[in-house]
Amino acid sequence: MSILAWLLLGLIAGFIASKLVNRSGSGVLLDIVLGIVGAFVGGWLFNQFGSAGVSGLNLYSLLVATIGAVVILALYHLIFGRRAL
């Protein structure tokens, strides 16, 4: 996949994960980063369970990336969400 496809997949997956986890977006940059990291994490998780990971810019890859981004976003909020300012 090209860099542009990874960015697009990451943006969409990160945005969906942000809406699922905390009901509001975390900002475009954080959504993209969480989505791209989520794509790697989702691909790794799916491979561990014997299924294919991210295979291109398609709905299956979006599902894998979104699941990974939800995991990453939940960990992010677990670590940084409850810190006092």
Side-chain angles (χ1 to χ4, degrees), residues 36-53:
I36 292 171
V37 172
F40 285 109
V41 170
W44 181 81
L45 284 173
F46 273 61
N47 282 330
Q48 294 301 311
F49 290 111
S51 189

Side-chain angles (χ1 to χ4, degrees), residues 50-65:
S51 189
V54 175
S55 60
L57 192 57
N58 53 38
L59 288 176
Y60 177 75
S61 294
L62 181 62
L63 175 71
V64 170

Side-chain angles (χ1 to χ4, degrees), residues 1-12:
M1 269 184 7
S2 71
I3 298 294
L4 184 61
W6 274 105
L7 289 175
L8 182 64
L9 181 69
L11 174 64
I12 295 169

Side-chain angles (χ1 to χ4, degrees), residues 8-9 11-12 20-21 25-26 33 40 50 53 65-66 68-69 71 74-76 83-84:
L8 182 64
L9 181 69
L11 174 64
I12 295 169
L20 289 173
V21 173
S26 301
V33 170
F40 285 109
T66 301
V71 169
L75 289 173
Y76 175 80
R83 281 180 29 178

